[in-house]
Every structure is written in C-alpha cells, then in structure tokens.
C-alpha cells in the first residue's frame, strides 16, 4: 500500500461516499466496486494533469491541441484527462480534497469557486496575474476569491441572445426587435405563419435552459445588482420584485413552443434549424451541434430592453482554469496558467473548437465572423456582465430553479405557490 | 446417557485432527473475503449510517446534528412525494412484473414449436443496459416520437401527449420501459420454477378431474413458493433502486413529479451537496428494503419448517 495509492484521508472520503451508495442501493458490492474506481487519477511524473469536463468532440480536440502546443514549447508538459461533465461536477469535491489531487481543472468563476477558495482548497495564482498584461478589471474581479487572492485564470467567454435563421426571418418578412412591444409583435407575426415563435428545449435532462429567461427578465427589470443579491441568498424568491418579472414572461408564454418543456435543448436546436421554431434564447455553445452549412445563416439579437432606466446587463459566462492548493507541481501549473492566458494559446483554442467563444486576452483575435464580432460588441457595450443562474448562484441551487420555472411555464396561474416553494427549497440549499 | 459417555472418548480421539480443519488455506479463504467485505461493504455502510446523523457538504468536516435529518423529512414535501411515488412504483413495478412474469412463464412453459423464439425475445430487453433502454424510450416518447405517431395512426390522436413532460404521466411513462425490461427477467425465474415441478403432480390432478385453474391454484402455486420469495426479494430491491431509468429519462422531474426516494437521494447528495440529508434518505431506503424482505423471508421460512 503505497502512500500515493491509498492515503487515509482520501480513503475515508471514498469509503463514505461508497457507503452512501451501498446503503441506498440494493447492490452493495456493485456500489462499492464503482466508487472504488473513482478516486483521483494517477499522476504522470512531472506533467501537469488537466482535469477537463470539456467532453464535446470539438472542445475536447481543442484542449488537447492546447496541451500539445504547451508541451512543444519545452519546459513543463500537460496531460489532459477528459471526464464526462456530470461525473466531473459530482467528483470535484473528492478531487480537491484528495491527498494527491489532479493539478488543474477546467471550471468557471462563481459561488462554487469562492466556496472552495474559502476552504483553502485552491491555489493562489496572484503571481500569474502579474504576468497577464491588461486583462479587463471585470475578469480580474471575477477571478478573485473575495478576500484579495486571485484563484482563477479565465480563458474564454461567450454570449447569450435570441438566435434565429436569417433566411427564415426574411421569408416571414420580420426584423429583429429593439424593444418588448416589437418583440411581441414579431412573435405574433411568426405565430400567424403557423410557426411556434419561441423554442425552449427545457425538456428531458436540460430543464436549466429555462433559467436563461429568468436571468434575462430579472436583469432587464430589476438590474444586475438585484439579480446577484437574489442569487446569493440576500433576497427572497417570493419578493414582489421577483414576482413582477413573470408579468412579461406571461405575455410571451403563448408564443412558446408547446413542446418547449418536452424536448431537450439539443432537439430544440434541431427544430430551430429546421425552421419549425422561430428563435431560441441560448448561448453560443448551441452552435457546437449545428451543421457547418447552417452556421453562416445564423444570427442573433439582444434580449429586448424592458425598462430603459435599468443599466443594460448581458450574460457573458466565462470559462477557465483553477488549480488545487495541494498540487505537487506548483511551478509547472503556473507555467500552464501563464500559457493559457496568452493570446497565442487562446487563438489556438478558438481555431480548434467550434470557434464561437471569445478570447479573454484583450489582444487575442476571435474567429472574426460577423456573428462573433456582433456578440463581442454586445458584451463590450454592456454596463454589467452576469454569468448564468448556476454560476451566479450555485449548482446546488439550479435544481430549485428548474422545478419552479418549468412549473411556471406549464402552470402560470400557480405563481404564488411556485415562488414560495422555490424560496423554501432555496433556503435549504443556502443553510446547508 | 450411556451412549453419550461412550462417544466422548471418540471425539477426544478426533481432537488432534482439528487443526487440519482450520488449515491456513481454509482460514485465508474465510478471513480474506471477510476482511475485504468488512472493508468495502460493512464499514462504508456504517459510515453511511453515521453520515445520516450529520450535515456534510462533502468538503468541510461533517457536523453532528443527531436525528435532525430524519426530523426534517416530516416537513419535506418533496420527500413525501418521493415516498408516495416509491410506493406507487413498488406496487405497479413489483406487482405487474410479478403477475406478468408468471403469466408469460405459464404461457411459454410447454415445449411447442417456436416457443424458444418467444422466450428469447421476451428475455432480450434484460440484456440491454437500462440507461440505453431509457434513451431509446425517451426518443419514442418525444412529442413527434413513435408512441404519438402510433396513437395518431390508430385514430387515438386525442391521446397524444408530451408523456415525459406532463407531471401527471411522467412517472407512468418511465415505469413502462422499466417494466418492459423486468418482465423477461421475472419470467425466466418463474420458468425455472415451473420446470422444477414434478409432472406426476399434474397427472394426478388431471386424473382427479381438476380444471386448468384448479391445477394452477392447487399444484403450481404451492410448488412455486420458493421461487416466489426469490422474485419478491428481487423486485423489492429492484424497485427501490430503480434509479438509472428515471434519472436518464426525467431526472425526477418535471417538478419532482417522477421523483422516487433513490433519485431524491442522488439529487440531494450530488446536486444539492447535502450529503448528510442524503445519507438519511439512504438509511430510509435501506430500512424499507431490508425490513420488507426480512419480514417476508422470516415468515416464509417459518411456514416451511
């Protein structure tokens, strides 16, 4: 029993997780056998292990190209370890508390990051930030732990909007709206053509797409600061100000695809591309699933302004890396971080991925298509940037939003009980 | 008495042989599995019981809260929904798979031409992983999927439905693939049981003029007693751990309408990161499964002896 193979602390954790499975399921041995295999990965000597949840083919290819280029520079090397997203998320606490953890992880800034940082599990990378040049203050603030340490290196971000096919809008004779009234009029016209105007894709295992609507209505009506306070547990979901945002949503509901809560987000993308829905409020990641010939026909418009007095905020979720405080390869990890923060590395990543993400390095070029230029400008013009529901709150709070919002879409008349149930469920998450 | 005392020297004479019975190899064969089992099964399970008495986020040290987690269940509406759904699932999944499996086995027990094909066909779903099965069914349940198309084709267009998205039908829609898979398994268990019945019993029954129903009631059913206890244990355990099929189809949604205890436990543990409360749920599931099975088996074996 080598010390690297089975430290007591790690064993305790795995064993107790296994115990949870063992007590719950009838198949004791099966539960233990699987849990026993989910410990941290073996370390290649000297190489930085990059634990990655980027499991879609294009993103996986891109991060592997990045690691290869890093190794080719001479100096430290990196090995990428791709893990299915759901597994990655549930195993993250085990990874980070292990005695020999993987060195660095793909993740995003938000409450989970600061939570781990407060527990001392993340590596302080302040000296990496010293070398990163003029990254915007917003990214710097986003990567902090709230106590003056930098624990995160952002590498890419993307935007959300109403995506549609240009050819279909031309066919239906409609133009992107600039305010809510025009938006509803657009929906009415599209509906008149026998097309469901708004696709959703909150069925199956992707109910979280409905949160985009909640986020946008809240930042348009109550503003980004209120939104963040609400998601941080400083406001209540049954607050009258929260209740107010469901009024415009209710106006838009008749234009939602009736199958919106029945089909998953990937299918909603297909339906949009086939022209059976008019538009979908989504992030650029949906382009990963779009055929290349459809990409040129795609365009988007900004979520309409509801109250001109509220400073415009947009969702601009950021991705990047953090590292375990217990990594034995501190110097190598920092070398990796310095590399991924460079314009060169971010351009390499964008070239190898589907190309719809934006680089965080201010001197790095995006892929230059009009769509990407437009998205970049929209985020640059925004007064405030929010992340997304689960990033501004936590992954633990997301299921409470899923239950509440899907119920609202299906039964809008039950709003009062929906919001009070949501508050109850959210309180349990915040208190634990 | 005399016999006993006469015997004693014999036992004493055998005594030197005893060490051979506990030879190191034999000891190893008993103790090593015991240690492994204790290490990987009993101890983690005990840890699970301990965690049920704590609040734990998976990262910080657990804090002891006594029976607090169990007390919380009484005011937890989602727990009540999940418990009720588990009972519905137990009755429908367990009941239908037992009755259906027995019916199929009786139907397919006689050796006829082509009967092997039907047996194989009904057993095939058991071979597939439940996750793969549920993905296929998920596609069929789509608004424009096979199920709705068939309903439209046979003139039942008004029954067309977003099966997995409607809280009224989600649980039952998920039940069908689970049942589809379980039926073949239970059928095979019963087939094995039916094969073990002495044909002479049926001949005697026929000579006595028993009808088919009387043969079943008075010969088949009593003879299947031991198979029944196996089937009962299997379906109770399987229905309490029915997790994969629900998780991959609905994740317990929409808004907890297809939530059972196992999915609620998983969501609480790994989505909400409330591992203490999740362990308490696990303990409830354990007690349910263990309680029901032990009660039944104890009774069954008592009747046997």
């Amino acid at each position: 029993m080598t010390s690297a193979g089975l430290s007591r602390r790690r064993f305790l954790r795995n064993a107790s997780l296994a115990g949870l499975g063992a007590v719950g399921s009838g198949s004791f041995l099966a539960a233990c056998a699987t849990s026993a295999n989910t410990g941290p990965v073996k370390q290649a000597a000297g190489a930085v292990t990059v634990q990655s949840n980027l499991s879609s083919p294009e993103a996986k290819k891109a991060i592997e190209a990045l690691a290869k280029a890093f190794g080719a520079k001479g100096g430290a090397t990196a090995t990428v370890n791709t893990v299915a997203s759901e597994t990655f998320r549930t195993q993250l606490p085990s990874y980070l508390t292990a005695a020999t953890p993987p060195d660095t992880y793909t993740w995003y800034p938000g409450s989970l990051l600061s939570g781990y940082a407060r527990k001392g599990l993340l590596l302080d990378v302040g000296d990496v930030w010293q070398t990163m040049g003029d990254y915007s203050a917003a990214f710097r603030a986003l990567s902090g732990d709230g106590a003056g340490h930098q624990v995160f290196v952002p590498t890419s971000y993307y935007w959300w909007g109403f995506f549609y096919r240009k050819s279909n809008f031309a066919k239906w004779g409609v133009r992107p709206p600039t305010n809510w009234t025009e938006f509803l009029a657009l929906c009415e016209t599209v509906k008149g053509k026998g097309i469901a105007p708004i696709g959703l894709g909150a069925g199956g295992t992707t109910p979280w797409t409905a949160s985009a609507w909640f986020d946008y209505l809240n930042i348009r009506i109550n503003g980004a600061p209120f939104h963040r306070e609400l998601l941080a547990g400083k406001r209540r979901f049954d607050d009258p100000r929260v209740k107010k945002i469901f009024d415009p949503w209710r106006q838009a509901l008749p234009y939602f695809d009736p199958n919106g809560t029945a089909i998953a987000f990937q299918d909603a993308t297909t339906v949009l591309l086939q022209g059976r829905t008019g538009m979908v409020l989504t992030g650029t990641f949906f382009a990963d699933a779009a055929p290349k010939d459809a990409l040129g026909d795609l365009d988007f418009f900004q979520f309409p302004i509801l109250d001109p007095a509220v400073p415009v905020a947009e969702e601009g979720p950021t991705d990047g890396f953090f590292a375990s405080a217990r990594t034995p390869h501190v110097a190598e990890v920092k070398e990796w971080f310095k590399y991924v923060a460079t314009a060169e590395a971010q351009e390499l990543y964008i070239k190898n991925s589907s190309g719809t993400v934006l680089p965080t390095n201010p001197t790095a070029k995006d892929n230059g298509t009009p769509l990407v230029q437009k998205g970049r400008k929209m985020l640059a013009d925004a007064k405030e940037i929010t992340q997304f529901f689960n990033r501004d709150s936590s992954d633990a709070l997301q299921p409470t939003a899923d239950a509440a919002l899907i119920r609202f879409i299906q039964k809008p008349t039950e709003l009062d009980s929906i919001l009070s149930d949501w508050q109850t469920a959210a309180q349990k998450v915040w208190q634990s | 008495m005399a016999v006993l005392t006469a015997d004693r020297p014999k036992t004493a004479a055998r005594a030197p042989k005893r060490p051979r019975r506990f030879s190191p190899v034999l000891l190893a064969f008993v103790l090593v599995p015991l240690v492994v089992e204790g290490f990987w099964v009993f101890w983690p399970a005990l840890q699970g019981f301990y965690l049920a008495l704590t609040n734990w986020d998976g990262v910080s040290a657990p804090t002891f809260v006594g029976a607090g987690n169990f007390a919380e269940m009484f005011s937890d509406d989602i727990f009540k929904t999940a418990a009720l759904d588990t009972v519905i699932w137990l009755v429908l999944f367990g009941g239908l798979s037992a009755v259906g499996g027995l019916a199929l086995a009786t139907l397919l027990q006689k050796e006829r031409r082509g009967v092997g094909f039907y047996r194989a066909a009904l057993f095939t779903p058991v071979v597939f992983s439940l996750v793969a099965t549920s993905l296929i069914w998920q596609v069929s349940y789509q608004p424009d999927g096979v199920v709705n198309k068939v309903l439209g084709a046979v003139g039942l267009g008004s029954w067309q439905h977003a099966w997995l998205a409607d809280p009224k039908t989600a649980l039952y829609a998920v039940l069908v693939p689970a049942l589809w898979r379980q039926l073949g398994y239970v059928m095979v268990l019963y087939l094995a049981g039916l094969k073990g019945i002495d044909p002479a019993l049926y001949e005697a029954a026929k000579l006595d003029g028993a009808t088919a129903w009387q043969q079943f009631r008075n010969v088949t059913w009593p003879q299947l007693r031991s198979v029944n206890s196996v089937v009962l244990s299997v379906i109770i355990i399987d229905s309490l751990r029915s997790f994969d099929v629900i998780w991959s189809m609905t994740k317990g949604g929409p808004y907890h309408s297809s939530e059972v205890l196992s999915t609620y436990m998983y969501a609480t543990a790994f989505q909400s990161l409330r591992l203490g409360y999740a362990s308490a749920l696990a303990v409830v599931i354990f007690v349910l499964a263990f309680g029901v099975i032990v009660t039944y088996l104890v009774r069954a074996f008592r009747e046997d002896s």
Side-chain angles (χ1 to χ4, degrees):
Chain A
M1 226 177 261
T2 60
S3 61
L6 254 185
S7 82
R8 184 174 173 276
R9 188 187 171 89
R10 200 185 89 215
F11 177 73
L12 267 174
R13 184 165 318 283
N14 284 336
S16 32
L17 284 175
L20 187 65
V23 172
S25 72
S27 63
F28 293 174
L29 271 175
C32 287
T34 42
S35 300
N37 291 333
T38 48
V41 290
K42 276 203 206 91
Q43 307 257 352
V48 176
T49 42
V50 182
Q51 197 80 352
S52 162
N53 68 343
L54 305 171
S55 48
S56 82
E58 296 204 311
K60 186 172 179 236
K61 198 180 76 192
I63 191 164
E64 278 166 359
L66 201 62
K68 204 171 151 209
F70 175 66
K73 277 181 352 112
T77 54
T79 50
V80 178
N81 209 340
T82 304
V83 180
S85 217
E86 174 77 5
T87 316
F88 184 94
R89 197 177 55 71
T90 53
Q91 289 290 323
L92 200 52
S94 309
Y95 294 151
L96 284 171
T97 49
T100 51
D103 301 310
T104 172
Y105 308 79
T106 57
W107 200 250
Y108 41 81
S111 76
L112 196 69
L113 176 82
S114 40
Y116 285 141
R118 269 199 304 277
K119 291 178 178 116
L121 294 169
L122 302 186
L123 187 68
D124 184 342
V125 292
D127 48 345
V128 174
W129 273 86
Q130 305 272 320
T131 68
M132 279 166 51
D134 51 351
Y135 265 64
S136 76
F139 285 131
R140 181 178 289 272
L142 208 53
S143 308
D145 66 349
H149 302 292
Q150 298 297 104
V151 290
F152 184 79
V153 173
T155 55
S156 65
Y157 64 112
Y158 60 91
W159 74 96
W160 284 67
F162 277 104
F163 282 83
Y164 62 90
R165 284 192 85 136
K166 285 185 270 190
S167 58
N168 282 338
F169 265 36
K171 193 167 74 191
W172 301 324
V174 290
R175 296 165 60 81
T178 53
N179 58 39
W180 192 250
T181 322
E182 282 181 33
F183 175 71
L184 293 178
L186 160 67
C187 289
E188 188 62 42
T189 313
V190 175
K191 198 177 182 185
K193 312 268 177 195
I195 307 283
I198 305 170
L200 184 65
T205 50
T206 59
W208 54 269
T209 55
S211 301
W213 277 83
F214 178 81
D215 283 1
Y216 260 115
L217 288 165
N218 202 21
I219 56 181
R220 286 285 182 268
I221 293 172
N222 294 317
F226 177 86
H227 183 62
R228 287 198 200 94
E229 283 171 22
L230 174 70
L231 267 49
K234 292 177 195 144
R235 306 277 185 158
R236 297 172 60 87
F237 285 103
D238 48 9
D239 188 308
R241 291 178 70 181
V242 176
K243 200 178 164 190
K244 207 171 62 180
I245 71 171
F246 289 91
D247 294 337
W249 199 342
R250 214 179 261 123
Q251 293 174 329
L253 270 187
Y255 304 115
F256 272 57
D257 175 10
N259 293 331
T261 57
I263 60 173
F265 137 79
Q266 293 86 344
D267 301 307
T269 305
T270 313
V271 170
L272 172 77
L273 294 173
Q274 288 171 345
R276 288 190 281 144
T277 50
M279 58 205 155
V280 174
L281 175 64
T282 183
T284 60
F285 53 84
F286 92 104
D288 284 344
K292 286 273 175 263
D293 59 325
L295 278 179
D297 191 30
L298 286 174
D299 201 353
F300 79 96
F301 61 85
Q302 179 189 30
F303 195 97
I305 305 296
L306 277 145
D307 180 352
V310 176
V312 176
E314 302 291 347
E315 301 239 69
T318 307
D319 293 314
F321 296 93
F322 65 52
S324 163
R326 297 182 197 176
T327 169
H329 306 118
V330 175
E332 291 88 345
V333 164
K334 286 182 175 170
E335 200 183 322
W336 164 256
F337 278 6
K338 282 173 192 165
Y339 175 69
V340 296
T342 60
E344 172 206 346
Q346 293 182 7
E347 284 167 12
L348 180 75
Y349 182 88
I350 287 169
K351 209 174 76 194
N352 282 287
S353 70
S354 64
T356 44
V357 294
L358 303 169
T360 49
N361 188 313
T363 59
K365 287 199 260 312
D366 53 48
N367 81 353
T369 60
L371 186 75
V372 168
Q373 298 285 336
K374 191 172 159 188
R376 192 167 195 169
K377 183 171 184 308
M378 182 179 82
L379 289 188
D381 290 348
K383 296 281 175 294
E384 297 240 28
I385 299 286
T386 51
Q387 294 293 306
F388 190 75
F389 190 93
N390 67 321
R391 298 177 176 218
D392 286 323
S393 61
S394 67
D395 286 324
L397 202 66
Q398 183 69 56
T400 67
D402 296 344
L405 298 176
I406 301 296
R407 192 168 143 208
F408 168 74
I409 294 170
Q410 292 188 350
K411 299 186 173 175
T413 51
E414 294 176 6
L415 183 61
D416 287 327
S417 74
I418 291 171
L419 292 182
S420 66
D421 286 355
W422 191 359
Q423 177 61 24
T424 313
Q427 249 160 352
K428 281 186 190 167
V429 173
W430 285 319
Q431 278 160 10
S432 65
Chain B
M1 252 348 234
V3 180
L4 267 179
T5 38
D7 266 350
R8 247 177 210 158
K10 254 188 189 169
T11 341
R14 263 193 215 140
K17 283 182 183 171
R18 246 187 206 164
R20 220 181 52 182
R21 262 196 253 157
F22 294 97
S23 69
V25 178
L26 193 65
L27 265 180
F29 268 108
V30 175
L31 286 183
V32 170
L34 190 71
V35 168
V36 170
E37 181 111 341
F39 211 52
W40 289 112
V41 181
F42 300 131
W43 190 52
L46 287 175
Q47 287 263 318
F49 280 107
Y50 166 69
L51 283 178
L53 306 174
T54 66
N55 274 343
W56 188 39
D57 62 1
V59 178
S60 325
T63 48
F64 191 78
V65 292
N69 285 325
F70 294 97
E72 187 187 327
M73 285 177 199
F74 287 100
S75 59
D76 183 351
D77 285 335
I78 305 171
F79 172 75
K80 284 175 201 157
T81 315
L84 182 67
D85 283 352
T86 305
V87 173
I88 295 176
W89 186 274
L90 197 67
V91 170
L92 288 182
F93 175 82
L96 291 177
S97 62
V99 172
L102 180 58
L104 288 174
T106 342
L107 205 66
L108 298 177
Q109 99 172 283
K110 284 222 185 77
E111 297 299 338
R112 300 191 191 93
R113 189 195 298 267
V115 79
F117 171 78
Y118 287 102
R119 283 185 204 152
L122 285 165
F123 188 70
T124 310
V126 183
V127 180
F128 301 135
S129 128
L130 207 43
V131 174
T133 305
S134 49
L135 287 177
I136 296 166
W137 278 84
Q138 199 172 22
V139 175
S140 318
Y141 278 133
Q142 291 271 314
D144 51 0
V146 174
V147 174
N148 280 340
K149 282 205 176 114
V150 168
L151 284 177
V154 298
L156 290 172
S158 58
W159 287 22
Q160 283 176 350
H161 214 75
W163 298 96
L164 294 172
D166 186 332
K168 287 198 199 78
T169 55
L171 183 69
Y172 305 99
V174 177
L175 186 75
V176 173
L179 214 50
W180 176 74
R181 183 175 174 275
Q182 191 77 357
L183 270 179
Y185 184 42
V186 175
M187 175 193 78
V188 167
L189 291 177
Y190 273 124
L191 271 179
L194 290 172
K195 292 276 173 219
I197 302 176
D198 187 350
L201 291 172
Y202 289 107
E203 277 169 33
K206 274 183 206 152
L207 278 178
D208 289 344
T211 61
W213 168 249
Q214 282 169 331
Q215 283 179 36
F216 177 81
R217 177 70 193 80
N218 297 311
V219 180
T220 314
W221 186 246
Q223 290 288 315
L224 284 177
R225 177 196 296 257
S226 56
V227 183
N228 276 335
S229 37
V230 173
V231 169
L232 187 95
S233 309
V234 164
I235 56 182
I236 288 176
I237 293 171
D238 278 355
S239 52
L240 282 172
R241 66 172 188 173
S242 291
F243 166 78
D244 35 13
V245 63
I246 302 176
W247 193 257
S248 53
M249 287 176 88
T250 64
K251 283 195 169 183
Y255 35 99
H256 305 296
S257 60
S258 59
E259 198 88 80
V260 294
L261 287 174
S262 57
T263 56
Y264 188 43
M265 175 191 82
Y266 183 85
T268 313
F270 299 112
Q271 289 198 309
S272 311
L273 290 179
R274 303 181 65 217
L275 287 122
Y277 190 56
S279 301
L281 291 170
V283 168
V284 169
I285 299 174
F286 174 78
V287 168
L288 277 179
F290 204 70
V292 174
I293 291 167
V294 165
T295 322
Y296 179 82
L297 288 185
V298 162
R299 226 192 54 197
F301 285 121
R302 193 179 291 149
E303 280 173 12
D304 275 351
S305 55

